[in-house]
Amino acid sequence: MAKQTVVELTGVHVHRVGRNVLEAIDLQVAAGEFLGIIGPNGGGKTTLLRLILGLVTPSQGRVTVLGKPPGQACRQVGYVPQCFAFDPDFPIRVWDVVAMARLGRRDDQVVAGALAAVSMLSEKERPFAQLSGGERQRVLIARALATGPRILLLDEPTTSVDRRVESEFYQLLDELRASLTIILVTHDIAAMTAVADRVACLNRRLYCCEPGGLTREILEATYQGLPFRLRSVRSVGGME
Amino acid sequence: MWAHEFFRHALLTGLLASLACGVVGTYVVTKRIVFLSGGISHAAYGGIGLACFLGWEPLWGATVFAVLAALGMGLVAKGAGQREDTVIGVMWAVGMAIGIIFLSLTPGYSADLMSYLFGSLLTVPKSDLLLMVGLDAAILVAVAIFFHQLQAWAFDEEFAGLMGLPVRALYLLLLGLIALTVVITIRVVGVILVIALLTIPSALGVRLGGSLGRAMVWAVLLGSALTTAGLCLSCYTNLPCGALIILLAGLVYLLVSCRPASATR
């Protein structure tokens, strides 16, 4: 039996300040799928995530999430933003960051469970500002998990972390994929292709393929002369 | 000193202002809207001028003007696609200009100008004190009710919106609370120096407290200590109390800032 489509974009264009950010995007993501999105800076990766969250409205085309308009489904979508989007000095405890996902519901068990899932429950009283980059990412993932999501969106989550933390992070995603649909935006092509079911190459236009079908020609066409990052534990299409 | 009513009023006024500034100022510092708070405090001067001209209580005029200016700044800056800093700058200057015009039109007016610009902690009447108690109570109740929502909004506005929080309403609520805090603080340090008492103790509190609640407690304690010390120093030196409080606060901020962040947490 075919899996349910949880995210669907049909003929989506996003036009902003005199330029097309996204053009003619058609994308279907099935329940339980792990989709990795790669592409150069300014290629529209974050805009695509924000379309799914309902934070950006398409100039043309249609977006549905769990069969509903994105704005109505956003409480079932966990979102892990780029870590440097936060004020590093904000005085807030780890517990309070995660509890934001349960505001008005006072569900301490869910908060504790989400922290335990990312091995951060013992750090719940620590100030968020004192955590390392990797620990912050874990807390933000816990916050996304605490919303009780069916879909998890991650925007360049390994940008500011070292190789060891990055490796642990992908291990964590591998554990989470059993119960979630995951859409991951990253610049680390090789690490992503090791775990993703499908790769979306995005530079205003979208091209999807299996991880094994990702060739240097496809990457060069996507990045259009810009450098791309090929380093990880696994080779991509025989390129390493 | 304690035997004098004016001193007791002054001390109580300083503590009430420290309470409001410590609580609301922590949001101001963490949300990085210090300049906006300065705009609200200077716009309040228009209300003081208008109230003096009409023969009303100046602080009532300041309350109405500060709240309207705060909401106006918030609505225009976020809703009309205007540049926020430009809107703040315009209301900052226009509020002051309205105040100066009305005060110049007020017959017999002259002495109060300096007291509202730079504070007059030693001449606080009982009516102003009662108004401040009421405003402080309103601020504390509002923050107690919306603490977690305001914290989520201040930390990550986008996520708060995704969780269904009314981010625009929370922004306007905070601006309203800033306006009330400004009114309370005008008597202590005046519209020109409000911004310092609103931000310095809170900035120190943010460095010392590991959570927003603890940062507020630190800010209130530090603000109370600084206003009390400034008041006592003013009595002995016969120097302007508001300016002494700000100088002390600035000195403490400088000393704490010179220490590495790890040493203060």
Side-chain angles (χ1 to χ4, degrees):
Chain A
M1 197 176 79
K3 283 186 174 176
Q4 182 201 358
T5 298
V6 291
V7 176
E8 185 166 20
L9 288 84
T10 312
V12 168
H13 292 253
V14 175
H15 187 79
R16 199 185 292 156
V17 213
R19 78 179 192 102
N20 288 328
V21 181
L22 293 174
E23 292 175 11
I25 303 293
D26 291 305
L27 175 68
Q28 289 191 329
V29 183
E33 188 177 6
F34 190 139
L35 176 74
I37 303 176
I38 57 169
N41 288 331
K45 303 186 297 298
T46 298
T47 302
L48 185 64
L49 293 190
R50 293 171 71 82
L51 275 168
I52 296 168
L53 288 163
L55 295 170
V56 170
T57 308
S59 314
Q60 197 182 321
R62 195 165 65 101
V63 181
T64 57
V65 179
L66 299 165
K68 293 181 273 193
Q72 291 175 23
C74 62
R75 290 197 87 147
Q76 291 175 283
V77 181
Y79 176 46
V80 182
Q82 295 178 9
C83 208
F84 52 78
F86 299 98
D87 176 0
D89 296 324
F90 197 100
I92 189 165
R93 296 179 309 156
V94 165
W95 179 273
D96 293 328
V97 173
V98 181
M100 275 175 204
R102 309 299 294 182
L103 270 180
R105 289 181 274 183
R106 301 282 304 165
D107 203 341
D108 288 358
Q109 274 190 330
V110 174
V111 176
L115 278 168
V118 298
S119 309
M120 287 296 289
L121 187 56
S122 58
E123 311 294 329
K124 66 180 182 178
E125 292 299 326
R126 277 181 70 191
F128 186 73
Q130 288 182 6
L131 302 181
S132 68
E135 287 172 326
R136 285 183 194 188
Q137 278 304 352
R138 283 179 173 270
V139 173
L140 294 177
I141 292 171
R143 186 180 69 166
L145 294 178
T147 61
R150 292 175 60 188
I151 303 165
L152 183 62
L153 308 181
L154 303 110
D155 193 359
E156 298 185 29
T158 55
T159 301
S160 57
V161 301
D162 60 32
R163 293 295 299 273
R164 183 185 60 80
V165 173
E166 188 178 308
S167 169
E168 287 172 6
F169 168 77
Y170 279 102
Q171 204 176 331
L172 174 64
L173 283 192
D174 214 24
E175 291 163 16
L176 294 174
R177 66 186 303 180
S179 55
L180 288 168
T181 303
I182 296 176
I183 301 177
L184 166 69
V185 164
T186 182
H187 284 295
D188 190 346
I189 300 164
M192 182 272 292
T193 51
V195 290
D197 298 316
R198 196 156 54 117
V199 180
C201 304
L202 184 64
N203 189 358
R204 282 189 299 171
R205 288 178 172 270
L206 188 72
Y207 174 81
C208 290
C209 64
E210 300 290 322
L214 190 63
T215 61
R216 181 173 286 281
E217 288 70 33
I218 294 171
L219 288 171
E220 284 174 351
T222 302
Y223 282 83
Q224 294 179 345
L226 295 165
F228 47 87
R229 178 180 166 198
L230 281 172
R231 64 158 178 78
S232 192
V233 288
R234 216 185 79 161
S235 65
V236 180
M239 289 177 288
E240 284 192 347
Chain B
M1 289 188 295
W2 186 247
H4 302 289
E5 189 182 38
F6 79 88
F7 183 82
R8 291 200 299 273
H9 279 193
L11 189 64
L12 192 53
T13 303
L15 295 177
L16 287 170
S18 301
L19 185 59
C21 285
V23 172
V24 176
T26 303
Y27 288 116
V28 170
V29 168
T30 53
K31 197 62 187 163
R32 301 182 182 213
I33 48 174
V34 174
F35 182 54
L36 190 150
S37 308
I40 294 171
S41 72
H42 284 74
Y45 195 64
I48 292 169
L50 184 61
C52 284
F53 180 70
L54 296 173
W56 299 348
E57 275 297 317
L59 276 195
W60 285 105
T63 307
V64 173
F65 246 67
V67 171
L68 289 178
L71 298 182
M73 281 183 208
L75 289 171
V76 173
K78 295 283 182 188
Q82 301 289 320
R83 287 178 65 97
E84 196 171 359
D85 58 339
T86 306
V87 175
I88 294 166
V90 168
M91 297 193 83
W92 178 311
V94 168
M96 288 294 284
I98 290 171
I100 292 165
I101 294 288
F102 276 113
L103 287 172
S104 71
L105 292 172
T106 304
Y109 168 83
S110 61
D112 263 353
L113 177 70
M114 291 296 278
S115 74
Y116 287 107
L117 282 175
F118 298 104
S120 57
L121 195 52
L122 296 171
T123 60
V124 180
K126 198 171 182 178
S127 59
D128 282 2
L129 205 53
L130 289 173
L131 174 65
M132 289 177 207
V133 170
L135 294 180
D136 248 320
I139 289 167
L140 290 181
V141 168
V143 171
I145 293 171
F146 296 106
F147 178 83
H148 292 290
Q149 286 89 341
L150 284 167
Q151 177 179 253
W153 166 78
F155 178 68
D156 188 351
E157 189 169 341
E158 194 167 271
F159 186 82
L162 289 171
M163 288 296 99
L165 288 184
V167 290
R168 194 180 164 89
L170 288 170
Y171 179 60
L172 294 177
L173 171 68
L174 181 62
L175 295 188
L177 294 177
I178 293 170
L180 299 185
T181 305
V182 161
V183 173
I184 295 170
T185 315
I186 280 174
R187 269 299 190 178
V188 182
V189 289
V191 293
I192 305 277
L193 303 178
V194 160
I195 200 167
L197 203 55
L198 196 59
T199 54
I200 293 175
S202 297
L204 293 168
V206 166
R207 284 178 69 101
L208 296 165
S211 69
L212 201 65
R214 279 203 286 262
M216 284 179 181
V217 171
W218 270 113
V220 170
L221 291 174
L222 286 166
S224 301
L226 288 166
T227 49
T228 306
L231 178 62
C232 294
L233 207 57
S234 169
C235 288
Y236 285 113
T237 60
N238 207 24
L239 288 169
C241 183
L244 278 175
I245 291 170
I246 301 306
L247 276 181
L248 279 176
L251 188 66
V252 174
Y253 182 78
L254 197 67
L255 290 172
V256 174
S257 298
C258 289
R259 300 183 67 195
S262 57
T264 55
R265 280 219 173 96

